[in-house]
């Protein structure tokens, strides 16, 4: 156990073999445990209930609230190498500081770069550029594909120089990284270099390359063939692939025939949505240190994807002839300071890792400012999409065709998968018998797209909800009525043909919204605003946003400390969605106690378990790797999207608590009561546990037995979900009825966190293969009513009111759900009305954008009277739903529908600026 600033730290390592075959030891550490503690209990006494949540399952404030508001170091930007002495970092050494010399043109040859404007005392001590990486045999990570640097033509020493374009692959691609001796030199040099048009020497303009598709494009066809359903789920892959063109042609013909005859009414529109910055609180920053003696690369980052980051960092040095040998990568994962996709597989990590050895044994700090973050940070995609909606005379949707083209920008990131989800979301909350949905992401030199909140869903919902409102208006139907006629239910299927397995509560959402005075009084209110010279409208929209990826693995661990306090460990990241707090409450489900501490981003601890995916061998695992069948699971853990916490990660942590109850607490109680104990009959109250017929046992007594008898005090579990949870039977010595079936596929128990023992597992379920074709199967439906007023003279829009209705399942922490909704409203308002990163040379790609140009929503713009109506959990629903992304999704189309009522014009391009409104009016 090490300490940093008096806080205990735990480090774990695991071995992974990368593509080149070299064995690399990976270590991921979370923030120090006690840094996020609500209090510091005496080490010799039994700890009191945590002050942040003394009542089981109820939070008084966020578990990380006090460290944040009291200014403790929790974000990557806060730390310096001197804070990491107990990690072995050279705390007495002066930090080197890095600056990226970035291009701001994408259609011009880069001839050279120069630093002559810097006086001698401000010159960098090291310059890293394309030629240096070639000389040192340093590669890009496998996921990056494109090179780190633009190779300046005058510095290109390759033999095939004439075949190289010497043009930036995207806005902000560096020509060089400059390492300065210390912060003072860096600060003074940066003032001279930043915005200086003479540092990079450009040559002739060149024609841009034609855009190509990143990865795969995705097309989903749903209909019928020869009287049978036809879709991804119903039909085997080969049959589906070969017959999709036929069914697609039949749908196209049906639309043409039925619209021509007037049997169906067709509503179509072309949409354009803009690039949007996630605008998280902390621009990306981090520390790196390469220890040549141990060949260890150390990183400190705020990231959503710690496991992917360290494997990518290792791949950079995979070449056997590389100048720098890296045998271990050690990552300290900090709070990111905001995320929602903007830090998922960010390329910032790869550049920092690559540069670390060039600091020559010194720690290296890199902290982007807001100008740099706007230029190269991950963004919501510029999207162009077309949708056609066909409705019959009864108001029933008969067919939808849609096509989504996302501008992925200069690096792939997760863009293809965002395009995929846009296509998967095309039916939204409605039962649609015939669908053709297509999604693609393009490789262009523009701003880099990534996985921002909603992940493609917002674009799909905008299209269908605005067209549906237009159809209601044109046919004289009530907007609520036309939606009720078409709602998904448990007899319906999605675009892939997947069944609806949840009670979506869509009728209840519509009922709750329709009864509100905001809706029923809308015409009266409209007249009141008209008397003031303002236009007014109220818009309705539904959104059936999915959570999860369709195949998710999740880890969770719970520890009982010697003082009786509880620690939670998870690889998940809290990016502002309150996950640390929700997961801190999870142990109370089975242990009756909340966590005092939580370790987020602790992926190394779980990777040390050595789990592998069942179908990984032999294709994905080297032949010399020994596979332990007891450690094979259905799905491995992925990155941390905002919606995965409440359902998936909470499940894992709560069942880690149950595993510890069965493996440790129950045996302790049996010793104390000298009787068999049924865990289902336990009653937790005020720090004690009781069961009918026996005296209550204080938690302190149980803890004493656990540690004196050397019972396990740690449990780590893994669960897999592909349309449903994988179940398995697990054997615990405390159970008279053995084994017990649990929705897990791995459990380990022990007293030493680094040497947990696998619990015997039998009868692990094999889920139907068809489940993997569902696409998505878990949803958090929501609806919104938005009221807007419009000044026809200025075009200025005021969002007067906002009411959201949400199906959230069981709320772990209602305050967090409310906070997520409020944040979602603000983000969605910016999306529709103000925020924009133009793709032109004058946009953020120029490197001179900050909040003076990027128009965020301010507190004064957001309606203070907004309401959130959370539906009671559905019958027999005992779990939460992932709502962090869902709460944003109905707001954009509801605003657009409100604007249509107010202005009698349907806007199809975002943002809807005052100028656009003045033109329309």
């Amino acid at each position: 156990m090490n300490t940093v600033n008096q806080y205990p730290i735990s480090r774990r390592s695991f071995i992974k073999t990368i593509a080149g075959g070299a064995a690399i030891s990976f270590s991921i550490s979370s923030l120090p445990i006690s840094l996020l503690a609500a209090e510091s209990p005496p080490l010799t006494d039994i700890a009191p209930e945590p002050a942040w949540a003394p009542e089981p399952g109820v939070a008084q404030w966020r578990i990380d609230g006090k460290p944040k508001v009291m200014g403790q170091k929790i974000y990557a930007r806060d730390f310096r190498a001197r804070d990491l002495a107990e990690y072995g970092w050279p705390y007495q050494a002066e930090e080197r500081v890095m600056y990226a010399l970035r291009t701001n043109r994408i259609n011009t040859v880069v001839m050279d770069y120069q630093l002559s404007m810097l006086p001698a005392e401000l010159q960098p001590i090291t310059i890293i550029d394309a030629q240096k990486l070639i000389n040192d045999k340093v590669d890009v990570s496998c996921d990056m594909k494109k090179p780190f640097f633009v190779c300046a033509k005058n510095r290109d020493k390759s033999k095939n120089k004439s075949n190289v374009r010497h043009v930036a692959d995207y806005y902000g691609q560096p020509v060089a990284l400059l390492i300065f001796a210390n912060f003072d030199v860096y600060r003074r040099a940066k003032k001279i270099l930043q915005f200086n048009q003479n540092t990079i020497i450009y040559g002739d303009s060149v024609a841009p390359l034609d855009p190509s598709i990143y990865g795969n494009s995705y097309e989903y066809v749903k209909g019928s063939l020869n009287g049978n359903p036809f879709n991804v789920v119903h039909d085997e892959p080969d049959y589906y692939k070969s017959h999709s063109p036929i069914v697609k042609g039949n749908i196209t013909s049906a639309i043409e025939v039925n619209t021509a005859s007037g049997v169906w009414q067709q509503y179509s529109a072309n949409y354009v949505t803009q690039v949007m910055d996630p605008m998280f609180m902390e621009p990306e920053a981090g520390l790196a240190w390469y220890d040549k003696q141990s060949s260890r690369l150390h990183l400190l980052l705020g990231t959503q994807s710690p496991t992917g980051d360290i494997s990518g960092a290792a791949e950079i040095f995979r070449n056997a002839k590389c100048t720098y040998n890296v045998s271990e990568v050690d990552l300290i994962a900090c709070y990111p300071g905001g995320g929602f996709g903007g830090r998922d597989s960010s390329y910032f990590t790869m550049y920092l890792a690559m540069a670390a050895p060039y600091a020559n044994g010194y720690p290296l700090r890199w902290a982007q400012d807001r100008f740099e973050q706007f230029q190269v940070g991950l963004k919501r995609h510029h999207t162009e999409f077309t949708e056609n909606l066909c409705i019959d005379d009864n108001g029933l949707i008969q067919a939808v065709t849609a096509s989504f083209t996302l501008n992925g920008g200069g690096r792939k990131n997760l863009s293809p998968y965002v395009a995929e989800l846009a296509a998967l979301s095309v039916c939204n909350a409605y039962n649609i018998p015939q669908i053709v949905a297509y999604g693609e992401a393009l490789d262009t030199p523009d701003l880099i797209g990534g996985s921002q909140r909603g992940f493609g869903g917002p674009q799909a919902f905008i299209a269908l909800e605005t067209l549906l409102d237009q159809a209601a208006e044109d046919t004289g139907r009530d907007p609520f009525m036309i939606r009720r006629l078409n709602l998904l239910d448990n007899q319906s299927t999605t675009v892939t043909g997947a069944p609806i397995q949840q009670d979506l509560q869509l009728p209840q959402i519509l009922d709750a919204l329709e009864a509100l005075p905001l809706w029923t009084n809308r015409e009266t209110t409209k007249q009141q605003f008209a008397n003031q010279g303002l236009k007014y409208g109220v818009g309705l929209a539904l959104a059936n946003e999915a959570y999860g990826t369709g195949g998710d693995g999740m880890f969770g661990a719970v520890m009982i400390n010697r003082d009786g306090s509880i620690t939670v460990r998870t690889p998940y990241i809290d990016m502002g969605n309150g996950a640390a707090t929700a997961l801190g409450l999870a142990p109370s489900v089975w242990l009756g106690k909340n966590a005092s501490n939580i370790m987020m981003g602790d992926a190394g601890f779980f990777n040390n378990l050595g789990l592998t995916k069942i179908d990984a061998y032999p294709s994905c695992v080297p032949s010399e790797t020994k596979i332990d069948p007891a450690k094979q699971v259905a799905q491995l853990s992925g990155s941390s999207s905002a919606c995965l916490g409440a359902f998936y990660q909470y499940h894992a942590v709560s069942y880690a608590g149950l595993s510890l109850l069965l493996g440790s607490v129950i045996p302790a109680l049996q010793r104390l009561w000298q009787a068999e104990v049924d865990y289902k009959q336990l009653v937790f109250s005020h720090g004690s546990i009781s069961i009918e017929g026996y005296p209550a046992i204080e938690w302190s007594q149980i803890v004493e037995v656990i540690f004196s008898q050397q019972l396990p005090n740690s449990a780590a579990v893994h669960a897999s979900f592909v349309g449903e949870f994988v179940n398995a039977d697990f054997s615990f010595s405390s159970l008279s009825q053995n084994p017990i079936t649990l929705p897990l596929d791995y459990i380990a128990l022990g007293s030493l966190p680094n040497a947990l023992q696998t619990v015997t597992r039998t009868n692990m379920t094999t889920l139907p293969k068809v489940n993997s074709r569902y696409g998505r199967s878990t949803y958090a439906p929501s609806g919104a009513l938005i009221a807007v007023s419009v000044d026809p003279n200025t075009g200025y829009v005021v969002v007067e009111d906002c009411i959201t209705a949400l199906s959230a399942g069981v709320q772990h922490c209602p305050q967090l759900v409310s906070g997520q909704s409020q944040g979602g409203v603000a983000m969605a308002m910016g999306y529709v009305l103000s925020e924009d990163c133009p793709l032109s040379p004058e946009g953020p790609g120029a490197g001179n954008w900050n909040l003076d140009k990027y128009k965020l929503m301010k507190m004064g713009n957001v309606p203070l009277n907004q309401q959130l109506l959370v539906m009671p959990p559905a019958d027999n629903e005992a779990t939460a739903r992932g709502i962090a992304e869902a709460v944003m999704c109905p707001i954009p189309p509801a605003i657009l529908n409100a604007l249509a009522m107010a202005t009698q014009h349907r806007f199809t391009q975002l943002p809807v600026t005052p100028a656009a409104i003045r033109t329309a009016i």
Side-chain angles (χ1 to χ4, degrees):
M1 189 73 75
N2 296 319
T3 61
V4 173
N5 294 343
Q6 310 307 313
Y7 299 118
I9 300 169
S10 179
R11 302 173 60 212
R12 300 291 173 249
S13 298
F14 68 100
I15 300 296
K16 180 176 179 180
T17 302
I18 61 174
I24 306 289
S25 175
F26 290 165
S27 169
I28 307 179
S29 309
S30 78
L31 277 171
I33 298 174
S34 295
L35 190 57
L36 302 183
E39 65 285 308
S40 298
L43 297 179
T44 57
D45 301 327
I46 289 296
E49 297 299 330
W52 75 275
E55 181 182 344
V58 180
Q60 291 198 134
W61 58 76
R62 286 187 180 222
I63 191 173
D64 52 3
K66 282 191 174 181
K68 286 181 175 178
V69 301
M70 294 175 70
Q72 293 186 27
K73 292 189 176 187
I74 60 174
Y75 302 115
R77 201 174 196 87
D78 299 334
F79 286 92
R80 301 295 185 271
R82 62 178 176 270
D83 300 317
L84 307 174
E86 295 301 325
Y87 273 94
W89 288 56
Y91 67 95
Q92 292 179 328
E94 193 168 26
E95 285 177 352
R96 302 305 193 207
V97 186
M98 187 163 71
Y99 177 73
L101 202 60
R102 298 187 182 278
T103 54
N104 59 9
R105 303 184 194 179
I106 55 173
N107 58 355
T108 309
V109 172
V110 175
M111 300 301 296
D112 208 342
Y113 62 87
Q114 54 133 351
L115 304 175
S116 60
M117 63 285 297
L118 293 178
E121 67 273 15
L122 298 185
Q123 288 287 328
I125 58 174
T126 304
I127 299 175
I128 315 168
D129 61 11
Q131 193 60 50
K132 184 176 283 290
L133 295 189
I134 292 171
N135 296 342
D136 292 338
K137 305 294 189 298
V138 176
D139 296 324
V140 295
S141 69
C142 295
D143 183 57
M144 288 182 67
K145 310 300 183 187
K146 297 175 184 177
F148 280 107
F149 297 107
V150 185
C151 184
K153 188 172 184 179
N154 292 348
R155 296 174 184 257
D156 188 352
K157 299 179 181 178
S158 61
K159 294 181 180 179
N160 58 346
K161 183 175 180 178
S162 60
N163 297 326
V164 179
R165 295 184 75 236
H166 303 104
V167 175
D169 291 309
Y170 57 90
Y171 282 115
Q173 186 176 22
V175 295
L177 295 178
L178 313 179
I179 297 178
F180 294 94
N182 54 50
F183 180 77
D184 184 60
V185 174
Y186 156 82
R187 179 182 58 83
R188 293 161 61 198
K190 182 180 177 181
K191 286 184 177 181
I192 298 172
L193 295 174
Q194 195 170 27
F195 316 123
N196 191 319
Q197 299 302 309
N198 297 317
T199 55
I200 299 177
I201 302 168
Y202 292 99
D204 296 335
S205 297
V206 296
L209 297 176
D210 292 332
S212 58
I213 296 175
Y214 274 128
N216 298 320
S217 59
Y218 298 88
E219 185 171 63
Y220 296 96
V221 178
K222 177 187 178 184
S224 61
L225 187 61
N226 301 324
N228 296 312
F230 180 88
N231 53 61
V232 172
V233 170
H234 180 271
D235 298 288
E236 291 299 317
D238 289 344
Y239 183 87
Y240 174 83
K241 183 177 180 180
S242 62
H243 289 76
S244 284
I246 299 172
V247 177
K248 180 180 176 182
N250 293 343
I251 293 172
T252 301
S253 297
I255 291 173
E256 292 174 354
V257 170
N258 286 290
T259 54
S261 64
V263 176
W264 295 352
Q265 297 299 314
Q266 181 172 239
Y267 300 89
S268 304
N270 299 318
Y271 299 84
V272 178
T273 59
Q274 78 281 30
V275 173
M276 182 181 181
D277 192 274
M279 253 312 298
F280 35 66
M281 183 177 70
E282 298 282 343
E284 290 177 274
L287 294 169
W289 171 50
Y290 174 66
D291 184 359
K292 186 175 182 180
Q293 283 190 327
S294 64
S295 299
R296 177 183 290 179
L297 174 63
H298 301 260
L299 298 168
L300 180 143
L301 296 162
T303 173
Q304 285 181 238
S305 45
T307 302
D309 285 347
I310 58 173
S311 58
E315 289 166 356
I316 293 171
F317 306 99
R318 67 187 179 274
N319 192 321
K321 296 181 180 180
C322 180
T323 301
Y324 303 103
N325 176 43
V326 174
S327 62
E328 183 172 352
V329 181
D330 181 6
L331 168 63
I332 304 170
C334 300
Y335 264 63
F340 288 104
R343 301 181 195 267
D344 198 346
S345 304
S346 168
Y347 299 101
F348 177 91
T349 302
M350 300 301 105
Y351 279 91
L352 180 60
M354 174 270 290
Y358 293 98
N360 297 320
Y362 286 81
L364 178 66
R365 184 169 187 264
W366 191 25
Q368 293 186 162
D369 63 20
R370 189 67 68 181
F371 294 104
E372 295 167 296
Q373 193 67 42
F374 268 117
Q375 187 178 32
V376 296
L378 300 176
K379 307 282 192 288
R380 187 187 299 278
H381 301 84
H382 173 96
T383 307
E384 298 181 7
F385 48 111
T386 299
E387 183 146 330
N388 302 296
L389 168 69
C390 296
I391 295 180
D392 67 16
D393 290 339
N394 296 316
L396 297 177
I397 302 174
Q398 294 297 328
V400 165
T401 64
S403 177
F404 301 88
T405 297
L406 281 63
N407 186 333
R411 292 204 184 270
K412 179 182 175 183
N413 198 257
L414 301 177
S415 294
Y417 313 113
V418 179
E420 177 190 25
L421 188 59
L424 284 170
S425 301
V426 72
C427 66
N428 191 9
Y430 309 106
N431 184 29
I432 304 174
Q434 299 182 88
I435 300 174
V436 179
Y438 175 82
E440 64 180 9
L442 299 183
D443 180 349
T444 75
D446 294 319
L447 302 173
I448 302 172
S451 57
Q452 204 177 133
R453 196 177 200 175
F455 209 87
Q459 293 95 316
F461 304 142
I462 283 171
L464 188 52
E465 287 298 305
T466 55
L467 288 177
L468 201 55
D469 241 44
Q470 182 181 345
E473 181 182 352
D474 289 356
T475 60
R477 290 186 171 87
D478 179 84
F480 282 89
M481 178 184 296
I482 199 169
R483 286 172 169 83
R484 281 197 182 91
L485 289 171
N486 292 284
L487 291 177
L488 285 167
D489 58 29
N490 292 103
Q491 305 303 312
S492 309
T493 59
T494 68
V495 64
T496 63
I500 299 297
Q501 299 175 310
Q502 299 166 287
D503 181 351
L504 298 179
Q505 299 186 309
L506 293 167
Q508 294 94 314
I509 289 173
L510 288 176
D511 290 347
L513 294 174
E514 188 177 27
L516 294 169
L518 183 63
W519 180 256
T520 58
N521 297 336
R522 65 192 184 282
E523 294 298 338
T524 301
T525 309
K526 182 177 182 179
Q527 185 57 51
Q528 293 171 350
F529 274 88
N531 295 338
Q532 304 172 45
L534 301 174
K535 296 181 179 293
Y536 177 85
V538 180
L540 165 70
L542 291 178
N544 191 36
E545 174 75 351
Y547 56 93
T549 67
D552 293 283
M554 60 227 71
F555 286 104
V558 173
M559 299 167 54
I560 300 174
N561 303 309
R562 186 63 185 87
D563 64 2
S565 64
I566 301 293
T567 293
V568 166
R569 306 180 80 150
T570 174
Y572 193 58
I573 298 293
D574 187 328
M575 65 210 74
N577 57 351
T581 298
L583 298 183
L585 299 173
S588 68
V589 175
W590 296 106
L591 294 175
K593 291 178 69 66
N594 302 316
S596 294
N597 309 303
I598 186 164
M599 300 178 71
M600 306 293 293
D602 196 19
F605 169 79
F606 297 97
N607 289 328
N608 189 50
L609 297 173
L611 305 189
T612 57
K613 195 168 181 286
I614 286 175
D615 59 1
Y617 185 83
S619 61
C620 299
V621 177
S623 57
E624 67 272 13
T625 303
K626 184 178 180 181
I627 299 297
D628 183 353
K631 292 191 173 186
Q632 289 188 293
V633 295
Q635 295 287 328
L636 290 177
S637 179
S639 63
S640 297
S641 70
C643 64
L644 291 177
F647 179 74
Y648 294 101
Q649 304 297 337
Y650 190 95
H651 173 91
V653 173
S654 64
Y655 273 94
L658 175 58
S659 301
L660 199 52
L661 178 77
L662 298 175
S664 181
V665 175
I666 293 296
L669 290 171
Q670 289 173 341
R671 284 174 169 80
L672 291 166
W673 279 327
Q674 292 296 299
E676 293 293 324
V677 177
D678 181 355
Y679 74 96
K680 295 180 181 178
Q681 303 302 316
L682 294 177
V683 177
F684 300 88
S685 178
H686 304 293
S688 65
I689 302 178
S690 61
I691 196 169
E692 187 175 353
Y694 293 90
I697 301 292
E698 293 296 320
W699 180 249
S700 59
Q701 295 175 267
I702 297 168
V703 172
E704 182 60 35
V705 172
I706 288 173
F707 282 89
S708 64
Q709 299 298 315
Q710 296 185 333
L711 295 172
N713 72 321
S714 298
V717 307
H718 184 274
S720 296
F721 187 95
V722 186
E724 57 190 292
F725 280 108
V726 171
N727 292 321
D729 293 341
F730 295 92
S731 296
F732 293 89
S733 59
S734 62
L735 297 177
S736 57
Q737 297 294 324
N738 241 338
I740 181 175
T741 302
L742 298 174
L744 301 170
D745 50 8
Y746 182 78
I747 300 175
L749 297 171
S751 299
L752 297 174
N754 199 30
L756 302 183
Q757 300 299 308
T758 301
V759 175
T760 300
R761 179 190 69 192
T762 55
N763 301 324
M764 189 169 83
T765 56
T766 300
L767 298 180
K769 288 185 178 180
V770 71
N771 287 19
S772 64
R773 304 205 296 269
Y774 283 180
R776 299 294 188 273
S777 61
T778 50
Y779 299 92
S782 58
L785 283 179
I786 299 286
V788 302
S789 65
V790 180
D791 186 329
N793 297 314
T794 65
Y796 185 71
V797 176
V798 174
V799 176
E800 301 285 352
D801 209 343
C802 171
I803 304 176
T804 301
L806 173 66
S807 178
V810 175
Q811 297 183 77
H812 300 315
C813 184
Q815 299 94 325
L816 290 178
V817 174
S818 176
Q820 287 300 298
S821 177
Q822 293 170 39
V825 169
M827 184 178 284
M829 287 176 56
Y831 186 35
V832 177
L833 298 174
S834 67
E835 297 182 44
D836 188 13
C837 292
L839 297 179
S840 66
E842 295 76 32
N848 59 1
W849 268 55
N850 211 312
L851 293 176
D852 59 328
K853 298 181 180 181
Y854 190 75
K855 304 304 180 184
L856 278 176
M857 282 290 123
K858 302 180 179 65
M859 179 64 74
N861 304 124
V862 180
L864 298 180
N865 56 333
Q866 61 183 277
Q867 300 175 52
L868 175 64
L869 310 176
V870 181
M871 302 298 102
D875 292 343
N876 301 316
E877 185 171 23
T879 58
R881 304 187 187 195
I883 60 88
E885 299 183 80
V887 288
M888 177 195 169
C889 291
I891 308 301
I895 294 175
L896 291 172
N897 286 336
L899 287 171
M901 176 182 169
T903 65
Q904 304 304 304
H905 179 83
R906 293 208 166 267
F907 296 94
T908 57
Q909 182 166 342
L910 301 186
V912 182
T913 63
I917 290 175
R918 290 196 303 270
T919 300
I921 292 177

